Amino acid sequence: MWLFKKNGPSGFSYSSTAEEVTHGIDGSDLTAIVTGASSGIGAETSRVLALRGVHVIIAVRNMTAGKDVKEAILKEIPAAKVDVMELDLSSFDSVKKFAADFISSGHSLNILINNAGVMAIPFMLSKDNIELQFATNHLGHFLLTNLLLEKMKETACETNREGRIVNVASDAHYVTYSEGIRFDKINDQESYSKFSAYGQSKMANILSTYELAKRLKEDGVEITANSLNPGAISSNLFRHMTIVNGLVSTIGKLLLKNVQQGASTTCYIALNPQVKGVSGEYFQDNNLATPSKKARDMDLAKKLWDFSMDLVK
């Protein structure tokens, strides 16, 4: 649609694709982890990073689906460097095993893309007895990031190259619970709203990014942390919403981004040199954006960090 084609300050727009925002970039000396890369924008992000020469670690719960993505990438890009590793973000044990296995592999780590997520699901508890959307979308990535930070710091120091942490959030953070984060009611089934719980998990992604960026700056390490809204995309995230899923299938091509456009902001933050040194920001449509006021509350961000650290311990 012509309405979305106007470029922002970056030179890119709503309509830009992941290939367009990474055109001409050589990532052949970089290694990236992409969570939730078995389909949708995660798979497209992995494909485009591999196209630019990045060694991509596809971190997925469904190993069969992950291997299918790897095979598809290799069929298109025979020289691509792609590995698949098992990761269930709803399980702290799985996250710890993944991090330990990755570190023992000897790989460097330049880019961590926390992309995986579940959306608007019925009330369920994770393997660690925490509401599943908060556990998967926020806590799993929070723990993974903290377990891999030393490896990223080591890589940045050894290569003298900036590390980048990319957290895929959503504008759904505007529809979280009124408290923003329900610290005392994370597991309250009676007042559970699948949409508000999803919004809460996405707000947590943004808040934790701000706090992480602040800590990285205080540590003086060359690693940035940014979050983003990929936009409304026709993907299997809608599979738990029957009516919405039907609408997505029929009119999605007209009103929603395709996966090539949906993955663009992630790839822009991960690879584009325009973002060098930029940290603690929120992006949308390949340009800087501003999230809700509550999502920018640094006191809330610090409280969430401490709360999350207690939970993952």
Side-chain angles (χ1 to χ4, degrees):
M1 297 175 66
W2 68 269
L3 210 59
F4 302 123
K5 293 185 181 295
K6 184 178 180 181
N7 291 340
S10 69
F12 302 112
S13 71
Y14 173 104
S15 301
S16 299
T17 66
E19 285 196 27
E20 289 170 347
V21 302
T22 60
H23 179 72
I25 296 173
D26 179 10
S28 57
D29 58 345
L30 302 174
T31 299
I33 292 173
V34 184
T35 71
S38 59
S39 64
I41 64 173
E44 176 65 4
T45 296
S46 299
R47 184 188 74 83
V48 172
L49 293 185
L51 182 66
R52 303 307 176 212
V54 178
H55 178 192
V56 180
I57 311 297
I58 293 176
V60 291
R61 181 176 55 83
N62 186 330
M63 288 293 285
T64 300
K67 289 174 182 176
D68 288 345
V69 171
K70 176 182 176 179
E71 289 177 10
I73 292 173
L74 290 175
K75 186 175 181 180
E76 178 190 346
I77 315 161
K81 295 170 285 185
V82 184
D83 290 307
V84 184
M85 292 179 64
E86 187 172 7
L87 171 63
D88 180 355
L89 286 156
S90 71
S91 165
F92 295 157
D93 285 344
S94 178
V95 174
K96 291 172 184 175
K97 183 179 186 303
F98 174 90
D101 289 347
F102 178 82
I103 291 168
S104 65
S105 73
H107 292 311
S108 57
L109 182 57
N110 306 91
I111 303 165
L112 174 60
I113 298 177
N114 292 318
N115 164 81
V118 292
M119 178 181 179
I121 59 175
F123 182 84
M124 286 183 271
L125 294 179
S126 71
K127 294 175 183 178
D128 303 286
N129 293 314
I130 300 166
E131 189 276 308
L132 193 58
Q133 293 194 81
F134 191 77
T136 303
N137 298 352
H138 168 59
L139 287 176
H141 284 129
F142 176 84
L143 177 59
L144 179 67
T145 300
N146 277 282
L147 291 174
L148 294 175
L149 260 183
E150 285 306 314
K151 171 55 67 174
M152 291 198 74
K153 291 177 181 179
E154 177 186 303
T155 300
C157 185
E158 290 177 352
T159 62
N160 196 29
R161 184 136 185 189
E162 177 181 88
R164 297 187 181 184
I165 297 169
V166 184
N167 291 328
V168 179
S170 169
D171 260 8
H173 76 273
Y174 280 100
V175 295
T176 184
Y177 298 106
S178 60
E179 309 97 312
I181 306 294
R182 306 178 93 195
F183 296 104
D184 299 324
K185 294 183 178 180
I186 289 295
N187 288 351
D188 186 7
Q189 183 173 0
E190 186 176 339
S191 60
Y192 177 77
S193 160
K194 61 184 180 180
F195 297 107
S196 297
Y198 178 67
Q200 173 179 248
S201 71
K202 295 290 101 180
M203 175 166 284
N205 291 153
I206 300 170
L207 288 168
S208 60
T209 302
Y210 284 134
E211 181 65 20
L212 175 60
K214 186 185 79 169
R215 289 168 179 259
L216 290 170
K217 184 176 181 180
E218 289 171 351
D219 288 346
V221 294
E222 198 176 356
I223 300 173
T224 63
N226 293 290
S227 61
L228 68 109
N229 167 36
I233 302 150
S234 178
S235 79
N236 65 0
L237 264 182
F238 295 99
R239 62 189 178 275
H240 293 286
M241 297 179 287
T242 307
I243 295 175
V244 176
N245 194 36
L247 289 172
V248 167
S249 299
T250 54
I251 65 173
K253 290 181 179 179
L254 294 174
L255 301 179
L256 304 180
K257 289 184 178 183
N258 57 39
V259 291
Q260 292 80 14
Q261 295 166 330
S264 65
T265 306
T266 301
C267 290
Y268 174 72
I269 300 171
L271 280 187
N272 199 290
Q274 292 181 0
V275 192
K276 180 175 173 56
V278 177
S279 190
E281 296 289 353
Y282 180 71
F283 288 79
Q284 178 175 296
D285 300 335
N286 303 292
N287 285 277
L288 287 170
T290 304
S292 70
K293 183 177 180 180
K294 197 173 287 290
R296 290 176 279 127
D297 184 333
M298 293 308 297
D299 290 333
L300 186 61
K302 174 64 166 60
K303 184 176 181 180
L304 173 66
W305 186 278
D306 294 339
F307 178 72
S308 302
M309 195 62 76
D310 286 340
L311 287 177
V312 301
K313 282 178 181 176

